[in-house]
Amino acid sequence: LRVPQALHRRLKVRSAELGLSLNEYCSQVLDGGSSGARTDDAFARALVSRAYEVLGDSLLGVILYGSWVRGEANDLSDIDVMLVVDERVEITRALVGNWDEKPLSHEGREVEAHFVRIPPEGSAVSGLWAELAIDGIVVFEHGFEVSGVLSRVRAEIAAGKLQRRRSHGQYYWVHVKDEVA
């Protein structure tokens, strides 16, 4: 696959940051971020069922992400899940409390729920959506709105408009304006 030199350089840097070969990293990105996390149908059904129990028809999507999905989990790691909700849901501590009333676990790891809304059309996405676009595994979605956002974010990353940087050992994302010639 031939890509522009600037994109190739960014891909090489990112793959080195993750400790992957360029081929491994590109395979993960092209595969939608899937890293082979051990999911099974029973876990996926339990996860979506619990999310629907808490959110009802305001649930737009369920995305697994984080160290467990990337294959970087240690003994203390949990399983992170992003629950995408519609505008009717107020994201509060009480909502998290509703999830925590009946904790869910898989492979001896607690499932930690986080909540987010779809970013408004035309708005800049947060670094969280960039992380979801790279590493997330969509387990459920109502319609294709969640996948549409993730696809748009991946396109911004590939075009160099959204870049992951590192400062003092911490990663962050920046929006890069089109360069003027």
Side-chain angles (χ1 to χ4, degrees), residues 148-167:
V149 171
L150 296 175
S151 179
R152 177 171 55 101
V153 172
R154 284 192 292 271
E156 288 183 31
I157 293 169
K161 294 179 180 181
L162 186 57
Q163 296 179 3
R164 190 176 197 209
R165 298 189 179 162
R166 185 176 175 163
S167 177

Side-chain angles (χ1 to χ4, degrees), residues 11 28 47 51 62 69 78 104 107 119 135 159 171 180-181:
L11 291 169
Q28 284 185 10
L47 181 58
V62 176
V69 169
D78 57 13
L104 188 62
E107 296 182 342
D135 295 328
Y171 291 103
V180 179

Side-chain angles (χ1 to χ4, degrees), residues 39-172:
T39 59
D40 57 49
D41 289 344
F43 173 53
R45 280 192 304 274
L47 181 58
V48 173
S49 176
R50 180 70 183 118
Y52 190 79
E53 188 178 308
V54 171
L55 297 163
D57 64 358
S58 64
L59 177 67
L60 298 178
V62 176
I63 308 169
L64 289 167
Y65 73 104
S67 63
W68 183 77
V69 169
R70 290 189 307 269
E72 299 171 359
N74 62 38
D75 292 342
L76 301 175
S77 297
D78 57 13
I79 298 174
D80 291 300
V81 61
M82 185 60 64
L83 303 178
V84 184
V85 299
D86 69 20
E87 68 282 346
R88 295 175 288 170
V89 175
E90 187 176 357
I91 300 175
T92 64
R93 287 180 185 240
L95 184 59
V96 175
N98 290 343
W99 175 270
D100 290 341
E101 285 176 6
K102 289 173 54 180
L104 188 62
S105 64
H106 179 63
E107 296 182 342
R109 297 179 187 277
E110 182 179 337
V111 176
E112 185 73 29
H114 308 272
F115 301 85
V116 70
R117 287 191 186 91
I118 296 283
E121 188 67 34
S123 69
V125 296
S126 68
L128 175 61
W129 278 99
E131 294 295 330
L132 293 171
I134 289 176
D135 295 328
I137 298 173
V138 177
V139 177
F140 164 84
E141 69 178 312
H142 179 73
F144 294 103
E145 195 172 9
V146 171
S147 289
V149 171
L150 296 175
S151 179
R152 177 171 55 101
V153 172
R154 284 192 292 271
E156 288 183 31
I157 293 169
K161 294 179 180 181
L162 186 57
Q163 296 179 3
R164 190 176 197 209
R165 298 189 179 162
R166 185 176 175 163
S167 177
H168 305 287
Q170 299 297 314
Y171 291 103
Y172 63 99

